């Protein structure tokens, strides 16, 4: 007897920070969660274990989002092992910073950040779109950044990548809306994660009207809303989560 189809959520870069918080939030909504990571297997396993401890289902799915062949192999293998299941929610979260003033920025840092963020968005999203379109339902949420809206000094590469995802998401939303697939983004400002631990929080929080850095869970709650049926009439939007730093 075959089991009924199961709808999954995939979160890229889910081992720590915002990605981990998103994975937990989606699990609490009832989704079995695929936890993508690249190098930190221990942190990914800890995230999966926390989900299981809360009564949810989690599976690790390691691959480099910037390498098409790795994505095809990992997702192809998962689909072969789950022939009746499909990924209904995709959260494109994987990413890092390599900050520098443009005049000093190595070419490889420019290319790496654009490839990681833009190619990662393209390869993973394209791979999963067919099933979403054929099921006439899907939720794609891209984790972008305040930098992609406002631009921040020292982040021309990161700002370009995130702004590119914002524009691509708006275009994609118009392509797939009639098939019941929504495409939105959240743009965090300064959030307390590994990516911001090198920043001067004491100084920067003085620039924020709410006078503090945000928490990963505050971003995750917004992602969970956009991934839910409650957001069924929202698409092509970017929700800023920045404490009023840029409004």
């Amino acid at each position: 007897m075959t089991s009924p189809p199961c709808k999954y959520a995939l979160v890229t870069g889910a081992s720590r920070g915002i990605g981990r918080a998103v994975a937990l939030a989606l699990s609490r909504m009832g989704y079995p969660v695929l936890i993508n990571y690249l190098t930190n297997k221990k942190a990914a396993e800890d995230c999966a274990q926390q989900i299981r401890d809360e009564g949810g289902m989690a599976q690790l799915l390691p691959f480099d989002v910037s390498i098409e062949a790795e994505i095809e192999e990992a997702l192809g293998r998962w689909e072969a092992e789950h022939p009746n299941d499909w990924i209904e929610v995709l959260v494109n979260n994987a990413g890092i910073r390599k900050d520098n003033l443009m005049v000093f920025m190595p070419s490889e840092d420019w290319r790496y950040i654009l490839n990681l963020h833009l190619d990662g968005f393209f390869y993973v999203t394209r791979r999963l779109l067919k099933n979403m379109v054929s099921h006439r339902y899907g939720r794609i949420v891209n984790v972008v950044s305040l930098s992609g809206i406002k631009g921040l000094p020292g982040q021309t590469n990161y700002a370009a990548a995130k702004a590119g995802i914002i524009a691509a998401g708006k275009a994609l939303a118009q392509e797939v809306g009639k098939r019941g697939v929504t495409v939105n983004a959240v743009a965090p400002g300064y959030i307390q994660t590994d990516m911001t631990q090198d920043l001067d929080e004491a100084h920067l929080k003085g620039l924020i009207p709410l006078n503090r850095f945000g928490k990963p869970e505050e971003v995750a709650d917004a992602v969970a809303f956009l991934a839910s049926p409650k957001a069924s009439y929202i698409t092509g939007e970017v929700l800023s989560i920045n404490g009023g730093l840029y409004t």
Side-chain angles (χ1 to χ4, degrees), residues 89-241:
V89 174
L90 167 62
V91 180
N92 287 304
N93 169 73
I96 63 169
R97 295 170 19 234
K98 284 185 177 289
D99 294 355
N100 211 332
L101 297 176
M102 179 182 273
V103 69
F104 300 122
M105 184 176 291
S107 297
E108 55 267 27
D109 286 0
W110 172 265
R111 287 191 298 268
Y112 181 77
I113 292 300
L114 263 66
N115 291 345
L116 177 64
H117 294 267
L118 277 173
D119 289 358
F121 157 79
F122 174 71
Y123 292 143
V124 179
T125 304
R126 183 185 61 177
R127 184 63 174 74
L128 299 181
L129 267 179
K130 184 177 180 180
N131 268 338
M132 292 183 184
V133 168
S134 65
H135 285 90
R136 303 188 72 88
Y137 187 90
R139 294 285 184 265
I140 298 167
V141 184
N142 301 313
V143 180
V144 291
S145 171
L146 168 68
S147 189
I149 300 173
K150 176 184 184 295
L152 292 173
Q155 292 189 346
T156 52
N157 52 0
Y158 190 70
K162 292 301 191 181
I165 293 173
I166 289 171
K170 287 178 176 290
L172 180 60
Q174 296 175 66
E175 295 179 6
V176 297
K178 290 182 179 179
R179 290 287 182 168
V181 180
T182 64
V183 186
N184 291 291
V186 296
Y190 294 114
I191 308 295
Q192 290 177 329
T193 67
D194 290 351
M195 281 186 68
T196 60
Q197 65 183 1
D198 61 328
L199 302 179
D200 185 350
E201 182 174 350
H203 166 70
L204 291 170
K205 73 179 184 179
L207 306 176
I208 302 169
L210 292 185
N211 198 39
R212 65 176 177 87
F213 276 21
K215 300 175 183 178
E217 292 76 16
E218 292 173 309
V219 180
D221 286 343
V223 173
F225 168 69
L226 292 172
S228 76
K230 294 179 180 180
S232 59
Y233 202 54
I234 301 171
T235 195
E237 292 299 321
V238 182
L239 176 59
S240 292
I241 307 170

Side-chain angles (χ1 to χ4, degrees), residues 35-99:
I35 298 171
N36 165 257
Y37 70 96
L38 180 57
T39 58
N40 199 333
K41 184 177 182 180
K42 176 63 167 59
E45 288 174 338
D46 289 346
C47 178
Q49 189 58 53
Q50 184 174 349
I51 288 173
R52 296 183 190 115
D53 289 344
E54 294 181 2
M57 295 171 56
Q59 179 181 345
L60 302 189
L61 197 65
F63 57 80
D64 186 333
V65 300
S66 68
I67 300 178
E68 183 178 7
E70 286 194 22
I71 296 165
E72 292 293 327
E73 195 279 330
L75 289 174
R77 183 177 66 252
W78 182 85
E79 288 172 349
E81 294 170 353
H82 299 79
N84 297 317
D85 304 331
W86 62 290
I87 296 169
E88 180 175 273
V89 174
L90 167 62
V91 180
N92 287 304
N93 169 73
I96 63 169
R97 295 170 19 234
K98 284 185 177 289
D99 294 355

Side-chain angles (χ1 to χ4, degrees), residues 1-7 84-85:
M1 183 176 179
T2 59
S3 58
C6 188
K7 303 169 186 176
N84 297 317
D85 304 331

